[in-house]
Amino acid sequence: MRLVVVSAGLSVPSSTRLLGDRLAAATAAQTPADVQVVEVRDLAVEIAHNFTNGFPGRALADAFDAVTAADGLIVVTPVFSASYSGLFKSFFDTLSVSDPEALAGKPVLIAATGGTARHSLVLDHALRPLFSYLKAVVVPTGVYAASEDWGAEGLDGRVERAAGELAALTAGLSAARPQPARDSFEEVTPFEERLAALRPTG
């Protein structure tokens, strides 16, 4: 399983990145996964240029490729003005312009961090509608971590539950994908050979 974490944290170290890492570790503990992290902070300049010239730079294009090829996504944003950050939204705006179907049918776990529990509704009022619009399949449990949640009871349970849903959804969708029938193509006899076999010999 290819798992990509998109983290829009701005500081170093970042609680947003920390939450993304915990969710990725919990998911990988339930199903084998290769984890890649996309730090949106590092792509800010290329995102701005993409808006003005319509072309992603090399690092941004690599990030787009990683997200598009992922079997599952974990997306984490800090809360600004009761919503996702502008940089977080800009990344997915430029991705959807580059490839409108990039997230279609892709399992996504949404998460956010903030200073107070009052902003937890960002998951259902902002993040879930955004990724539903982008045609992603959003797992039922989103994870919000306020400052007081770190080290407190409850966060670990939400992380485990959301990770389990992402792992199960990703495995289910992978199993449901039709496999190409390569063997049937290999067994087809060319028309010329079949015709030659009908010709009289001698």
Side-chain angles (χ1 to χ4, degrees):
M1 169 182 173
R2 291 168 294 184
L3 181 63
V4 173
V5 179
V6 178
S7 171
L10 298 179
S11 60
V12 180
S14 164
S15 61
T16 300
R17 171 64 186 271
L18 178 59
L19 181 57
D21 288 344
R22 288 182 65 171
L23 289 164
T27 304
Q30 301 193 44
T31 184
D34 294 322
V35 180
Q36 179 178 349
V37 178
V38 173
E39 286 278 11
V40 182
R41 177 190 65 243
D42 298 335
L43 303 171
V45 173
E46 290 194 15
I47 290 172
H49 288 168
N50 195 113
F51 275 121
T52 57
N53 61 28
F55 296 97
R58 180 175 299 177
L60 185 58
D62 288 345
F64 287 169
D65 289 343
V67 169
T68 302
D71 297 306
L73 291 179
I74 296 171
V75 299
V76 195
T77 179
V79 174
F80 287 97
S81 301
S83 188
Y84 37 65
S85 74
L87 186 58
F88 179 88
K89 178 64 159 52
S90 294
F91 175 81
F92 287 103
D93 282 344
T94 51
L95 172 63
S96 64
V97 170
S98 173
D99 181 1
E101 300 296 314
L103 299 186
K106 196 177 299 294
V108 175
L109 192 168
I110 56 173
T113 59
T116 171
R118 290 178 299 175
H119 291 310
S120 62
L121 291 177
V122 68
L123 296 173
D124 292 322
H125 287 186
L127 285 167
R128 198 174 296 278
L130 171 63
F131 287 96
S132 295
Y133 174 79
L134 294 174
K135 305 175 186 177
V137 182
V138 184
V139 302
T141 301
V143 179
Y144 178 83
S147 298
E148 63 267 22
D149 287 329
W150 298 103
E153 294 184 7
L155 180 59
D156 286 344
R158 296 197 303 274
V159 166
E160 291 295 329
R161 183 167 63 251
E165 291 170 357
L166 179 62
L169 180 58
T170 302
L173 290 178
S174 296
R177 292 190 188 107
Q179 299 298 317
R182 294 193 182 105
D183 292 341
S184 63
F185 289 105
E186 293 171 359
E187 296 172 359
V188 172
T189 303
F191 177 74
E192 291 80 3
E193 292 183 18
R194 286 186 289 160
L195 186 62
L198 298 175
R199 292 185 185 128
T201 58

